[in-house]
Amino acid sequence: MTDFAATRAMFDLPEGVIYLDGNSLGPLPRGVAERVALAITDEWGQMLITGWNKAGWMDLPARVGDRVGRLIGATPGTVTMGDTLSIKVYQALASALELRPDRRVILSDTGNFPSDLYMADGLCRTLGPDYALKTVAPEEVEGAIDASVAVLMITEVDYRTGRKHDMARLIAKAHTAGALVVWDLAHSAGAIPVDVTGADTDFAVGCSYKYLNSGPGGPAFIYVAPRLAEAARPALSGWLGHEAPFAFDLDYRPGRGVERMRVGTPPILQLAALDAALDVWEGVDMQDLRARSLELQAQFIALVEEGCPDLTLASPRDPEIRGSQVSCRHEHGYAIIQALIAEGVIGDFRAPDILRFGFTPLYLSPEDVERAAQILCAIMAERRWDKPEFHARAKVT
Ligand SMILES: *Cc1c(COP(=O)(O)O)cnc(C)c1O
């Protein structure tokens, strides 16, 4: 059994804060600051440029990629790290489209994160007028998979509602129709059990600063199925994805396997932070994590439905189709979240009316959930959110 008291002790949360926003930016694990400080002083400071070899900087994207890979069911050598998720979405889509040269449609859904849709739209425009991004309602994805679809691009867990797709089923359906799949794990990696190998996915991408706690701007990951990795041509053919970057050839030759998905110089300090943050996962069983997450969510839903009748559940009630977050709707959602934050309970707001709460068993206990629900319900009952300072919108919501 996973020891959640032990994992909780591995985080350095501010005193008095209940953090229900690890789905947006994971908190600081202990040991990360020290590790990054060492990378700065002992590696960069002392080794200077020799750190690329001596400190193993150049291998960090692959080494850390393998550690992330273990959490998503990927075999060693199939995941690499770098850039932001938006870039990795673009890369995966471009490679996948090229592997289906006779088809022109990217299929996605209206619950997808806008950046994924924007990147897909931008890629289609670059490729020409025949290419199109088609979006349907999340419930209609399965029925919309047909022989015109080149790539099915799906984010497994909806960032607003927490609704979870049945990926294994969608992937099987897409493959039967001759399409490839790009699976976005932004709200899955570190949140729910994922098995990219078992589900036979083609490409998977995700970020590390949400449930994997790498810190703001931490690098994204990309997985390419081994059966495709030597055939996939990287659209962003940067020098570090080259077979021999230090040969400085004038011609591009893709590197081996997923290594070709590297673009430019890797963010070593952020990778050092992620590497240290991943230590928390040693000894965590993803099935235990899922069970505990659902317990915490069920507790929260029951308390909120009992104590705050004005909030409507926006997430699926069925835990089988919910990720690791619970969302509610209220027309004054923004102000309610600001009032909550002022009282030490951090959740977030997503337009137009969603209050979002992430459940992360590594550092959240049933006592935290009870206290958070109590504070939320008191704010609602006494309309403590209805103050001018809670209505003023900041740049980042
Ligand atoms: C968080 C998130 C992103 C963010 O992309 P960045 O390039 O890292 O800013 C993209 N897609 C999805 C599905 C997300 O949840």
Side-chain angles (χ1 to χ4, degrees):
M1 274 302 278
T2 305
D3 181 352
F4 289 110
T7 58
R8 182 181 170 89
M10 292 178 194
F11 285 86
D12 202 5
L13 283 159
E15 197 57 42
V17 163
I18 299 175
Y19 196 57
L20 302 178
D21 216 357
N23 52 315
S24 204
L25 176 68
L28 175 65
R30 293 186 196 280
V32 168
E34 292 78 359
R35 173 67 199 282
V36 173
L38 281 179
I40 292 174
T41 55
D42 292 19
E43 296 180 6
W44 177 23
Q46 294 304 310
M47 297 177 190
L48 298 162
I49 199 163
T50 66
W52 287 108
N53 291 315
K54 276 195 200 149
W57 292 342
M58 203 42 104
D59 300 326
L60 215 46
R63 195 169 66 69
V64 174
D66 281 347
R67 297 190 75 190
V68 170
R70 277 202 292 281
L71 299 175
I72 60 167
T75 52
T78 59
V79 174
T80 192
M81 309 298 304
D83 316 299
T84 69
L85 176 52
S86 304
I87 300 289
K88 276 1 213 179
V89 165
Y90 186 93
Q91 278 188 299
L93 273 178
S95 292
L97 275 179
E98 219 177 289
L99 290 166
R100 286 291 173 274
D102 52 331
R103 300 186 180 193
R104 297 284 182 271
V105 174
I106 297 172
L107 176 65
S108 192
D109 69 65
T110 52
N112 206 341
F113 190 79
S115 198
D116 295 36
L117 301 175
Y118 302 158
M119 293 311 272
D121 181 58
L123 175 61
C124 287
R125 287 173 193 274
T126 301
L127 290 173
D130 303 352
Y131 285 84
L133 166 67
K134 180 178 172 187
T135 50
V136 298
E139 311 75 53
E140 286 161 14
V141 169
E142 193 176 343
I145 300 171
D146 61 28
S148 71
V149 176
V151 186
L152 176 66
M153 173 183 76
I154 295 292
T155 297
E156 182 175 21
V157 178
D158 185 311
Y159 73 106
R160 272 181 303 205
T161 63
R163 177 205 32 75
K164 184 168 90 60
H165 277 296
D166 182 343
M167 284 311 299
R169 189 182 165 98
L170 291 180
I171 292 169
K173 176 93 199 266
H175 285 171
T176 303
L180 291 173
V181 175
V182 174
W183 182 1
D184 190 328
L185 298 169
H187 293 274
S188 308
I192 58 176
V194 174
D195 185 1
V196 292
T197 308
D200 196 25
T201 191
D202 303 300
F203 296 84
V205 292
C207 42
S208 66
Y209 52 79
K210 291 173 181 162
Y211 293 90
L212 300 180
N213 314 309
S214 69
F221 63 85
I222 183 165
Y223 161 86
V224 183
R227 63 190 152 71
L228 295 175
E230 299 298 331
R233 196 191 67 87
L236 302 176
S237 33
W239 72 304
L240 288 184
H242 192 281
E243 185 182 36
F246 289 89
F248 296 106
D249 286 340
L250 291 184
D251 296 324
Y252 181 80
R253 291 190 310 278
R256 287 185 52 201
V258 77
E259 289 277 299
R260 67 186 55 189
M261 293 299 172
R262 292 176 64 159
V263 183
T265 304
I268 297 306
L269 300 179
Q270 297 257 222
L271 280 165
L274 173 57
D275 196 21
L278 290 170
D279 289 350
V280 172
W281 295 94
E282 304 292 334
V284 173
D285 178 288
M286 292 309 290
Q287 302 298 337
D288 291 348
L289 183 99
R290 174 67 171 158
R292 173 91 161 181
S293 160
L294 289 180
E295 276 166 29
L296 297 174
Q297 292 179 58
Q299 180 194 359
F300 185 76
I301 292 173
L303 290 171
V304 168
E305 291 203 317
E306 191 188 306
C308 330
D310 292 348
L311 294 179
T312 331
L313 184 66
S315 296
R317 195 170 290 282
D318 177 359
E320 287 296 310
I321 54 167
R322 198 184 332 116
S324 204
Q325 71 179 62
V326 172
S327 303
C328 306
R329 289 184 200 280
H330 192 283
E331 61 172 319
H332 295 295
Y334 182 80
I336 296 167
I337 288 288
Q338 300 317 305
L340 258 180
I341 293 173
E343 298 196 30
V345 179
I346 303 183
D348 68 17
F349 169 79
R350 285 292 172 263
D353 60 355
I354 297 270
L355 298 90
R356 207 166 62 142
F357 304 101
F359 290 86
T360 46
L362 295 184
Y363 47 86
L364 277 181
S365 66
E367 294 72 38
D368 293 328
V369 171
E370 187 174 344
R371 176 115 187 88
Q374 260 170 13
I375 295 174
L376 173 60
C377 295
I379 286 172
M380 297 299 298
E382 297 165 21
R383 289 179 70 92
R384 299 212 288 256
W385 52 267
D386 200 7
K387 294 185 184 158
E389 69 262 35
F390 297 144
H391 289 285
R393 301 246 172 148
K395 188 166 180 184
V396 176
T397 62

